[in-house]
Amino acid sequence: MAGKPTIADVARLAGVSVSAVSKVVNGRGGISAATAERVLAAAAKLDWSPSATAVALRGARTRAVGMVAARSADLLAADPHFTVLISGIERELAPVDYGLLLHVVGEEPGAEERAYRRLAQERRVDGVILTESRIGDPRFALLRRLRLPAVLVGVPWHEEGGEAPVVSVRAGEQEAGIRQAVDHLCALGHRRLGYVSGPEDRVHSVFRRRVFESALAARGLAPAPVVVSDFTAQGAVAAMERLLAPGPGARPTAVLFANDTMAVAGMNAARRLGLEVPRDLSVVGYDDLPLGELVYPRLTTIGQDLVRLGRAAVTALFGLLDPERPARAPEIRPPRLVVRESTGPAPAP
Amino acid sequence: MAGKPTIADVARLAGVSVSAVSKVVNGRGGISAATAERVLAAAAKLDWSPSATAVALRGARTRAVGMVAARSADLLAADPHFTVLISGIERELAPVDYGLLLHVVGEEPGAEERAYRRLAQERRVDGVILTESRIGDPRFALLRRLRLPAVLVGVPWHEEGGEAPVVSVRAGEQEAGIRQAVDHLCALGHRRLGYVSGPEDRVHSVFRRRVFESALAARGLAPAPVVVSDFTAQGAVAAMERLLAPGPGARPTAVLFANDTMAVAGMNAARRLGLEVPRDLSVVGYDDLPLGELVYPRLTTIGQDLVRLGRAAVTALFGLLDPERPARAPEIRPPRLVVRESTGPAPAP
DNA sequence: GGGGTCAGGTATATCGTTCTACCTCCGGTA
DNA sequence: TACCGGAGGTAGAACGATATACCTGACCCC
């Protein structure tokens, strides 16, 4: 009684055995309603609930899931991708009393692997949620070796033999957003589009670029200039300078960016180059961050349903941990274009 | 051997007792160098490290700290305050193999308290880190009742009897940033400043507003119009409309905002009202988010050393958990003004 | 009345560590 | 020779829950 109360204290107070208390709190029956009530009252009075560690040790279920974010503090701050995903994850975790163990490691090589190893070897979590899969992603093999159940949020890499031993969220319809953006720009009269991609080791970067290219082709437009960048603001500025430089072929009149951070930075770069958005140049982002509504002109962008994606990841992970459980995954909205102010009619030639 | 290896597997492989293995990995001596080496080799071979749950159960030390963010997904995404803090926290936690258990709860009443109760009652963490203290913050009493060690990041509420039973990070110098901002604006010739504050139940909101007011007084300027807002973009727009409305007294020529999100939104609100920043109106934010460099004009703002604040919080918490440990807190830079493009000379009257 | 059944419990092994107490050599000393 | 001390270990009791196996009446039925 000196320290925190244990199940034994509750049992004593209720005048029953420890086993009885356990049965009651786990609703496993065999205890009369009257006794159960006494037990519950005692537990409430002592403010007791089962120690997560003891339960974990006993049951080999930690009731926690892990997540490793391999990003610098700056990039993490600039792009709330993780943050939003996490709040979706939590929405699903909280009702079933699961915890989320988060590791933010920098981008030093090895740090990420070390984080996963710790999670697995110290048995701190039942499974992990991955995001931002990379091409030839080493994490799948690692997690398989560590026998740590994992779910990937986003697009997995289906080609080149790197079959994903994990559950992937969302199929088809991924392309909708970019298609809509291209259609939207075409409808506004744009014919020369540009694209600023993210790092090409990211699956979703490559995926989005390809969708863009195929959407162009579907519209019968010429292949567009693509600049590979790095998701950062500085990268976007450099990309814009290349795209808008007077060179062979006409300048694009509209540019799509692989994320909002780059789109916003790109808009400003254009402005510094003497172009007004959207009069001289239309800009489209990706992610629909709150940022997009803050800037001037407000950003036309492609919105993803990140919160629900996070929830679905948890559901999938639970399904992996316990195949019996009926997994009713939430419906996820496909990416869709949010038209605001940064896109407008193509300038006259 | 079927499942994950245990200390017993290591002991068997090394041909020693379980106790010997434990002594070796905890460096508690009494084991010959030769044996120790055999043990370490066996552990490495089996990829074993002690189960965090078992250690926690045994030692009443979970080697994890908790954090509860009571914010909606949107606000969390718009303001990376938590994110940056967390990466600082992790920087300190990772080397000593501590984990961070994060709970993102919405703003529903009771959700926050429930999260803390769970953390404490289920004994999932050794302590928690609080941020954004509120006036008459109920968390202090709650955590004391739960006997959960806590450290507050930021300004505590020293007045009105709400003495904080927690370690507070940073003393003095807090005022530097706002003072510098006021000085900077005065030097540019501004005499009529405005201030958009955050919710007044937040200690730092009130603190910043008061510093602003006293900085004005120190400069011999007249009291400035203050609008209390809510940290959101929409709130900032409304605040701007009130501040800039033609009314009694002249319009301010410069406005300080309690965070960057509001500052950026406020800039755009001003633009929609026909004012150009910084020609007609100077704007200063607070936080120095990456966002500030992205927008046009780039935002003059007050930067906080959030990463190091997070690290210091962990150090302080460790000191609380184990008073023996020599706590060498990192040096934290006081808030300071970062001058960019959103401030300029006061317009001629 | 003896035995079976069932509801309503209790006793106890177990999970993977840590840590205290103890054991066993072996060399040195009186 | 008897004893001591220390180095280098081992045995086993916690830690706080869960789950299996078992116990104990009460009641019913033939």
Side-chain angles (χ1 to χ4, degrees), chain A residues 47 52 63 122 124 268 294, chain B residues 52 63 122 124 268 294:
Chain A
D47 241 7
R63 300 187 77 80
E122 302 185 350
R124 276 175 181 276
N268 293 333
L294 255 46
Chain B
R63 301 187 75 81
E122 302 185 351
R124 277 176 179 275
N268 293 334
L294 255 47

Side-chain angles (χ1 to χ4, degrees), chain A residues 1 5-25 35 38-44 46 48:
Chain A
M1 265 294 288
T6 76
I7 195 175
D9 298 319
V10 176
R12 205 165 316 129
L13 182 59
V16 294
S17 73
V18 165
S19 332
V21 176
S22 174
K23 278 189 182 172
V24 169
V25 302
T35 311
R38 264 191 6 259
V39 167
L40 260 15
L46 295 180
W48 173 87

Side-chain angles (χ1 to χ4, degrees), chain B residues 36-127:
Chain B
E37 195 153 329
R38 264 190 7 258
V39 168
L40 260 13
K45 182 162 178 199
L46 294 181
D47 240 8
W48 174 85
S49 44
S51 147
T53 22
V55 173
L57 179 55
R58 164 72 221 200
R61 262 294 126 94
T62 60
R63 301 187 75 81
V65 318
M67 190 157 176
V68 177
R71 284 195 168 197
S72 70
D74 263 16
L75 206 52
L76 217 49
D79 177 357
H81 177 92
F82 275 102
T83 324
V84 178
L85 206 56
I86 284 172
S87 63
I89 290 171
E90 267 283 316
R91 193 105 90 231
E92 211 64 24
L93 249 28
V96 290
D97 270 12
Y98 263 67
L100 174 68
L101 200 55
L102 181 67
H103 280 296
V104 178
V105 303
E107 281 160 330
E108 318 88 72
E112 185 181 35
E113 172 163 349
R114 242 184 343 270
Y116 284 115
R117 297 198 93 90
R118 272 178 50 202
L119 245 27
Q121 292 181 8
E122 302 185 351
R123 246 129 308 167
R124 277 176 179 275
V125 297
D126 293 335

Side-chain angles (χ1 to χ4, degrees), chain A residues 41-294:
Chain A
K45 183 163 176 197
L46 295 180
D47 241 7
W48 173 87
S49 45
S51 147
T53 22
V55 173
L57 179 55
R58 165 69 219 204
R61 264 292 125 94
T62 61
R63 300 187 77 80
V65 319
M67 189 157 174
V68 176
R71 282 194 170 200
S72 68
D74 263 16
L75 206 53
L76 216 49
D79 178 355
H81 177 91
F82 274 101
T83 324
V84 178
L85 204 57
I86 284 173
S87 64
I89 289 172
E90 266 284 315
R91 191 105 93 232
E92 211 64 25
L93 249 28
V96 290
D97 270 12
Y98 263 67
L100 174 68
L101 200 56
L102 181 67
H103 281 296
V104 178
V105 302
E107 281 159 329
E108 320 87 72
E112 184 180 37
E113 173 164 349
R114 242 184 343 267
Y116 284 115
R117 295 199 95 91
R118 272 178 51 200
L119 245 26
Q121 290 182 6
E122 302 185 350
R123 246 130 305 167
R124 276 175 181 276
V125 297
D126 294 335
V128 295
I129 293 177
L130 307 181
T131 180
E132 304 219 296
S133 76
R134 308 194 278 269
I135 291 174
D137 202 320
R139 295 178 295 175
F140 297 135
L142 173 63
L143 293 171
R144 205 174 332 120
R145 219 164 46 242
L146 294 172
R147 300 232 195 87
L148 198 54
V151 166
L152 171 69
V153 176
V155 199
W157 193 242
H158 284 306
E159 313 177 7
E160 301 177 13
E163 110 289 2
V166 297
V167 176
S168 158
V169 190
R170 298 278 304 116
E173 293 184 328
Q174 274 290 12
E175 298 84 354
I178 292 177
R179 293 251 163 83
Q180 285 167 22
V182 170
D183 288 353
H184 167 66
L185 292 170
C186 283
L188 288 168
H190 294 272
R191 290 292 172 272
R192 299 186 306 280
L193 311 188
Y195 189 83
V196 178
S197 172
E200 294 255 303
D201 63 329
R202 297 286 201 278
V203 174
H204 69 278
S205 287
V206 175
F207 179 83
R208 288 178 194 175
R209 173 176 55 74
R210 291 192 182 169
V211 172
F212 170 72
E213 286 165 345
S214 84
L216 281 192
R219 282 258 154 198
L221 296 181
V226 168
V227 177
V228 173
S229 186
D230 62 356
F231 282 148
T232 69
Q234 298 89 305
V237 172
M240 275 313 251
E241 280 161 3
R242 276 182 54 197
L243 270 181
L244 301 179
R251 231 183 42 208
T253 62
V255 179
L256 279 81
F257 290 83
N259 74 1
D260 280 356
T261 305
M262 292 201 296
V264 170
M267 277 203 306
N268 293 333
R271 178 153 24 200
R272 282 174 221 282
L273 291 169
L275 299 177
E276 191 176 313
V277 176
R279 198 195 58 198
D280 307 316
L281 183 77
S282 286
V283 167
V284 178
Y286 205 115
D287 275 346
D288 194 15
L289 304 186
L291 165 62
E293 296 225 65
L294 255 46

